Amino acid sequence: MKKNIFVANWKMNKTYSASLDFCNIHKQALHELTKQADIVLCPSFVAVSAMNQALKNSHVHIGAQTCSIHQKGAYTGQVDTQSLKEAGCTYGIAGHSEQRRDGYLTNDQVAHQVQRLLDASITPIICIGDTKEEFEQHQAHGILTHQLNPVLRIAQEYRVPIIIAYEPIWSIGTGIVPKFDYLQEIFLWLSQKLSREFPSKWDLLYGGSVNLDTIAMLKTIPHIDGFLIGDASLDFQKFEKIVSWKS
Ligand code: PGA
Protein backbone atom coordinates (compact mmCIF):
# COMPACT_ATOMS: atom_id res chain seq x y z
CA MET A 1 0.00 0.00 0.00
CA LYS A 2 1.18 3.51 -0.83
CA LYS A 3 2.58 5.44 2.13
CA ASN A 4 1.31 8.90 3.02
CA ILE A 5 3.83 11.73 3.31
CA PHE A 6 4.08 13.78 6.51
CA VAL A 7 6.18 16.93 6.29
CA ALA A 8 7.11 18.70 9.55
CA ASN A 9 7.66 22.40 8.85
CA TRP A 10 9.36 23.68 11.98
CA LYS A 11 9.63 27.25 10.64
CA MET A 12 11.78 29.29 13.10
CA ASN A 13 10.39 27.49 16.15
CA LYS A 14 13.25 25.19 17.13
CA THR A 15 16.80 26.25 17.92
CA TYR A 16 19.75 24.26 16.62
CA SER A 17 20.07 22.33 19.88
CA ALA A 18 16.30 21.72 20.19
CA SER A 19 16.27 20.34 16.64
CA LEU A 20 19.11 17.95 17.45
CA ASP A 21 17.50 16.90 20.74
CA PHE A 22 14.30 16.02 18.87
CA CYS A 23 16.28 13.74 16.55
CA ASN A 24 18.49 12.15 19.20
CA ILE A 25 15.67 11.50 21.66
CA HIS A 26 13.17 10.18 19.10
CA LYS A 27 15.43 8.54 16.51
CA GLN A 28 14.13 5.02 17.07
CA ALA A 29 10.48 6.10 17.23
CA LEU A 30 10.92 8.18 14.08
CA HIS A 31 12.42 5.17 12.34
CA GLU A 32 9.38 3.12 13.41
CA LEU A 33 7.10 5.79 11.91
CA THR A 34 8.85 5.49 8.54
CA LYS A 35 7.46 1.94 8.27
CA GLN A 36 3.97 3.41 7.86
CA ALA A 37 4.66 6.82 6.29
CA ASP A 38 7.27 8.92 4.51
CA ILE A 39 8.59 11.38 7.11
CA VAL A 40 10.27 14.66 6.16
CA LEU A 41 11.60 17.04 8.84
CA CYS A 42 12.26 20.65 7.78
CA PRO A 43 14.44 22.49 10.33
CA SER A 44 16.19 25.82 9.90
CA PHE A 45 19.16 25.73 7.51
CA VAL A 46 21.78 25.60 10.26
CA ALA A 47 20.45 22.32 11.68
CA VAL A 48 20.21 20.43 8.37
CA SER A 49 23.67 18.88 8.33
CA ALA A 50 23.78 17.85 12.00
CA MET A 51 20.26 16.39 11.79
CA ASN A 52 21.26 14.44 8.73
CA GLN A 53 24.12 12.90 10.76
CA ALA A 54 21.92 12.29 13.80
CA LEU A 55 19.27 10.49 11.73
CA LYS A 56 21.64 8.34 9.66
CA ASN A 57 20.10 4.96 8.71
CA SER A 58 16.70 5.98 10.10
CA HIS A 59 14.97 6.49 6.70
CA VAL A 60 13.78 9.92 7.89
CA HIS A 61 14.21 12.60 5.25
CA ILE A 62 15.46 16.15 5.80
CA GLY A 63 13.90 19.06 3.90
CA ALA A 64 14.79 22.72 3.45
CA GLN A 65 12.19 25.39 4.26
CA THR A 66 13.15 27.51 1.25
CA CYS A 67 16.09 28.11 -1.13
CA SER A 68 17.59 30.76 -3.36
CA ILE A 69 16.26 31.20 -6.88
CA HIS A 70 19.90 31.62 -7.97
CA GLN A 71 22.55 28.97 -8.58
CA LYS A 72 25.47 30.95 -7.12
CA GLY A 73 26.84 34.47 -6.95
CA ALA A 74 26.63 37.74 -5.04
CA TYR A 75 23.45 37.02 -3.07
CA THR A 76 24.34 37.72 0.54
CA GLY A 77 22.44 35.55 2.99
CA GLN A 78 20.88 33.23 0.43
CA VAL A 79 21.33 29.45 0.35
CA ASP A 80 21.84 27.48 -2.87
CA THR A 81 20.27 24.11 -3.56
CA GLN A 82 23.55 22.32 -4.31
CA SER A 83 24.74 23.09 -0.77
CA LEU A 84 21.39 21.91 0.61
CA LYS A 85 21.80 18.65 -1.25
CA GLU A 86 25.37 18.21 0.03
CA ALA A 87 24.19 18.95 3.59
CA GLY A 88 21.59 16.18 3.37
CA CYS A 89 18.33 17.64 2.07
CA THR A 90 16.34 15.36 -0.20
CA TYR A 91 13.20 17.57 -0.11
CA GLY A 92 12.75 21.33 -0.31
CA ILE A 93 9.74 23.57 0.30
CA ALA A 94 9.17 26.18 -2.41
CA GLY A 95 6.78 29.11 -2.18
CA HIS A 96 5.48 28.75 1.36
CA SER A 97 2.94 31.55 1.94
CA GLU A 98 5.15 32.98 4.70
CA GLN A 99 7.81 33.43 2.00
CA ARG A 100 5.40 34.67 -0.66
CA ARG A 101 3.73 37.30 1.52
CA ASP A 102 4.37 40.99 0.90
CA GLY A 103 5.39 40.10 -2.67
CA TYR A 104 8.67 38.65 -1.43
CA LEU A 105 8.38 35.67 -3.82
CA THR A 106 6.38 35.92 -7.05
CA ASN A 107 4.86 32.93 -8.84
CA ASP A 108 7.69 33.04 -11.41
CA GLN A 109 10.30 33.13 -8.65
CA VAL A 110 8.71 30.09 -7.01
CA ALA A 111 9.05 28.33 -10.38
CA HIS A 112 12.75 29.26 -10.37
CA GLN A 113 13.12 27.82 -6.87
CA VAL A 114 11.59 24.61 -8.18
CA GLN A 115 14.03 24.62 -11.10
CA ARG A 116 16.98 25.04 -8.69
CA LEU A 117 15.69 22.21 -6.47
CA LEU A 118 15.23 19.88 -9.44
CA ASP A 119 18.70 20.79 -10.77
CA ALA A 120 20.08 19.58 -7.42
CA SER A 121 17.93 16.41 -7.49
CA ILE A 122 15.88 17.59 -4.51
CA THR A 123 12.13 16.78 -4.55
CA PRO A 124 10.20 20.07 -4.42
CA ILE A 125 7.23 20.54 -2.09
CA ILE A 126 5.45 23.40 -3.82
CA CYS A 127 3.03 25.40 -1.67
CA ILE A 128 -0.02 27.04 -3.16
CA GLY A 129 -2.93 28.69 -1.39
CA ASP A 130 -5.66 31.32 -1.37
CA THR A 131 -6.35 34.12 1.12
CA LYS A 132 -9.58 34.34 3.10
CA GLU A 133 -10.81 37.10 0.78
CA GLU A 134 -10.06 35.05 -2.34
CA PHE A 135 -11.78 32.05 -0.78
CA GLU A 136 -14.91 34.07 0.07
CA GLN A 137 -15.03 35.48 -3.45
CA HIS A 138 -14.78 31.95 -4.93
CA GLN A 139 -11.46 32.78 -6.63
CA ALA A 140 -9.50 29.76 -5.42
CA HIS A 141 -9.35 27.95 -8.78
CA GLY A 142 -8.06 31.04 -10.58
CA ILE A 143 -5.48 31.86 -7.89
CA LEU A 144 -4.21 28.28 -7.66
CA THR A 145 -4.00 28.01 -11.46
CA HIS A 146 -1.88 31.19 -11.54
CA GLN A 147 0.41 29.80 -8.86
CA LEU A 148 0.69 26.34 -10.41
CA ASN A 149 1.11 27.03 -14.14
CA PRO A 150 4.64 28.56 -14.10
CA VAL A 151 5.81 25.74 -11.82
CA LEU A 152 4.33 22.98 -13.98
CA ARG A 153 5.83 24.52 -17.14
CA ILE A 154 9.32 24.26 -15.65
CA ALA A 155 8.92 21.00 -13.72
CA GLN A 156 7.54 18.99 -16.63
CA GLU A 157 10.88 19.29 -18.45
CA TYR A 158 12.59 17.23 -15.74
CA ARG A 159 10.28 14.20 -15.81
CA VAL A 160 10.73 13.53 -12.08
CA PRO A 161 8.20 13.48 -9.21
CA ILE A 162 6.98 16.66 -7.52
CA ILE A 163 4.78 17.37 -4.49
CA ILE A 164 2.09 20.05 -4.40
CA ALA A 165 0.86 21.26 -1.00
CA TYR A 166 -2.45 23.10 -0.90
CA GLU A 167 -2.42 25.39 2.13
CA PRO A 168 -5.31 27.87 2.46
CA ILE A 169 -3.51 30.88 3.96
CA TRP A 170 -6.44 31.53 6.30
CA SER A 171 -5.99 28.08 7.74
CA ILE A 172 -2.30 28.33 8.63
CA GLY A 173 -1.81 28.69 12.37
CA THR A 174 -5.47 29.61 12.98
CA GLY A 175 -6.98 26.28 14.05
CA ILE A 176 -9.56 26.67 11.26
CA VAL A 177 -9.72 24.17 8.41
CA PRO A 178 -12.00 24.34 5.36
CA LYS A 179 -15.11 22.17 5.34
CA PHE A 180 -15.01 18.60 4.01
CA ASP A 181 -17.06 19.40 0.89
CA TYR A 182 -14.82 22.30 -0.08
CA LEU A 183 -11.62 20.28 0.36
CA GLN A 184 -13.10 17.31 -1.48
CA GLU A 185 -13.89 19.54 -4.45
CA ILE A 186 -10.51 21.35 -4.45
CA PHE A 187 -8.46 18.14 -4.23
CA LEU A 188 -10.50 16.47 -6.96
CA TRP A 189 -9.96 19.53 -9.16
CA LEU A 190 -6.20 19.60 -8.37
CA SER A 191 -5.76 15.90 -9.08
CA GLN A 192 -7.63 16.21 -12.39
CA LYS A 193 -5.51 19.21 -13.41
CA LEU A 194 -2.26 17.44 -12.53
CA SER A 195 -3.30 14.19 -14.25
CA ARG A 196 -3.99 16.18 -17.42
CA GLU A 197 -1.00 18.49 -17.34
CA PHE A 198 1.87 16.83 -15.50
CA PRO A 199 3.50 13.79 -17.12
CA SER A 200 5.44 12.44 -14.11
CA LYS A 201 4.43 11.27 -10.65
CA TRP A 202 2.95 13.85 -8.27
CA ASP A 203 1.55 13.83 -4.76
CA LEU A 204 -0.92 16.21 -3.17
CA LEU A 205 -0.58 17.40 0.43
CA TYR A 206 -2.92 19.45 2.60
CA GLY A 207 -1.47 21.99 5.03
CA GLY A 208 -2.99 24.43 7.52
CA SER A 209 -3.98 23.63 11.13
CA VAL A 210 -3.40 19.90 10.80
CA ASN A 211 -3.64 18.76 14.42
CA LEU A 212 -5.26 16.13 16.65
CA ASP A 213 -8.66 17.86 16.36
CA THR A 214 -8.68 18.08 12.56
CA ILE A 215 -6.81 14.98 11.37
CA ALA A 216 -9.82 12.62 11.62
CA MET A 217 -11.78 14.62 9.04
CA LEU A 218 -8.74 15.44 6.89
CA LYS A 219 -7.74 11.79 6.53
CA THR A 220 -11.12 10.98 4.93
CA ILE A 221 -10.69 13.36 1.99
CA PRO A 222 -9.96 11.60 -1.31
CA HIS A 223 -6.86 12.53 -3.34
CA ILE A 224 -4.83 13.74 -0.34
CA ASP A 225 -1.49 11.89 -0.21
CA GLY A 226 -0.17 13.50 2.95
CA PHE A 227 0.11 16.58 5.14
CA LEU A 228 2.35 19.59 5.72
CA ILE A 229 2.31 20.29 9.44
CA GLY A 230 3.57 23.35 11.28
CA ASP A 231 2.71 23.83 14.92
CA ALA A 232 1.61 20.25 15.67
CA SER A 233 4.89 18.83 14.36
CA LEU A 234 6.98 20.53 17.05
CA ASP A 235 5.94 18.06 19.73
CA PHE A 236 6.95 14.49 18.89
CA GLN A 237 4.01 12.81 20.67
CA LYS A 238 1.48 14.95 18.79
CA PHE A 239 3.26 14.41 15.48
CA GLU A 240 3.42 10.65 16.05
CA LYS A 241 -0.32 10.48 16.86
CA ILE A 242 -1.21 12.46 13.73
CA VAL A 243 0.92 10.20 11.52
CA SER A 244 -0.49 7.01 13.08
CA TRP A 245 -4.11 8.17 13.32
CA LYS A 246 -6.46 5.58 11.82
CA SER A 247 -10.24 5.82 11.46
P1 PGA B 1 0.23 25.05 10.86
O1 PGA B 1 1.27 25.50 9.68
O2 PGA B 1 0.15 23.54 10.80
O3 PGA B 1 0.84 25.57 12.12
O4 PGA B 1 -1.07 25.68 10.51
C1 PGA B 1 1.29 24.85 8.44
C2 PGA B 1 2.29 25.49 7.52
O5 PGA B 1 2.52 26.71 7.61
O6 PGA B 1 2.89 24.82 6.67
Side-chain angles (χ1 to χ4, degrees):
M1 210 177 100
K2 193 181 159 221
K3 285 183 188 172
N4 277 349
I5 306 162
F6 289 82
V7 182
N9 176 14
W10 287 348
K11 310 189 182 188
M12 208 172 72
N13 286 315
K14 275 193 196 294
T15 60
Y16 174 83
S17 55
S19 303
L20 273 187
D21 285 351
F22 185 100
C23 299
N24 289 326
I25 295 167
H26 303 296
K27 181 174 178 178
Q28 188 52 36
L30 281 163
H31 176 65
E32 288 301 314
L33 275 187
T34 64
K35 293 178 183 161
Q36 46 172 309
D38 287 329
I39 305 291
V40 184
L41 303 181
C42 302
S44 75
F45 287 140
V46 287
V48 164
S49 182
M51 275 180 51
N52 188 43
Q53 287 301 316
L55 292 172
K56 247 193 167 54
N57 306 321
S58 71
H59 298 128
V60 175
H61 297 277
I62 310 294
Q65 294 180 11
T66 185
C67 65
S68 177
I69 63 169
H70 305 288
Q71 216 161 13
K72 66 178 288 191
Y75 303 102
T76 302
Q78 298 196 23
V79 177
D80 67 279
T81 51
Q82 187 54 39
S83 299
L84 291 171
K85 180 74 182 184
E86 290 171 15
C89 287
T90 47
Y91 289 82
I93 298 174
H96 190 280
S97 61
E98 288 157 14
Q99 287 273 323
R100 289 180 188 262
R101 73 184 161 204
D102 306 326
Y104 182 64
L105 263 184
T106 64
N107 291 333
D108 283 335
Q109 286 172 327
V110 174
H112 284 124
Q113 283 189 314
V114 171
Q115 184 171 22
R116 294 281 90 83
L117 290 164
L118 292 171
D119 280 342
S121 303
I122 295 174
T123 302
I125 302 165
I126 303 144
C127 296
I128 55 172
D130 47 343
T131 62
K132 180 84 179 160
E133 216 178 23
E134 290 158 351
F135 165 74
E136 282 168 354
Q137 294 171 3
H138 306 286
Q139 293 174 343
H141 288 199
I143 296 293
L144 300 183
T145 300
H146 259 66
Q147 293 175 349
L148 266 177
N149 284 355
V151 164
L152 295 182
R153 259 197 302 279
I154 282 186
Q156 65 197 8
E157 290 167 22
Y158 289 78
R159 310 227 155 232
V160 294
I162 61 168
I163 298 173
I164 305 290
Y166 171 57
E167 299 203 295
I169 296 166
W170 46 280
S171 195
I172 295 176
T174 60
I176 302 165
V177 295
K179 297 224 159 29
F180 176 89
D181 289 354
Y182 177 76
L183 286 175
Q184 186 179 32
E185 188 278 323
I186 270 285
F187 277 94
L188 175 63
W189 175 76
L190 282 170
S191 74
Q192 286 173 339
K193 178 174 169 63
L194 287 161
S195 302
R196 260 195 327 270
E197 297 175 26
F198 194 68
S200 307
K201 181 180 171 296
W202 44 267
D203 285 296
L204 281 174
L205 309 187
Y206 169 80
S209 295
V210 177
N211 57 40
L212 287 170
D213 296 328
T214 58
I215 192 66
M217 183 278 276
L218 292 169
K219 278 199 177 172
T220 63
I221 294 163
H223 307 293
I224 293 186
D225 305 299
F227 299 93
L228 178 49
I229 310 169
D231 203 48
S233 70
L234 297 170
D235 176 271
F236 178 75
Q237 273 74 28
K238 274 190 202 159
F239 183 62
E240 184 183 40
K241 277 195 189 130
I242 290 169
V243 173
S244 319
W245 198 92
K246 297 226 165 34
S247 53

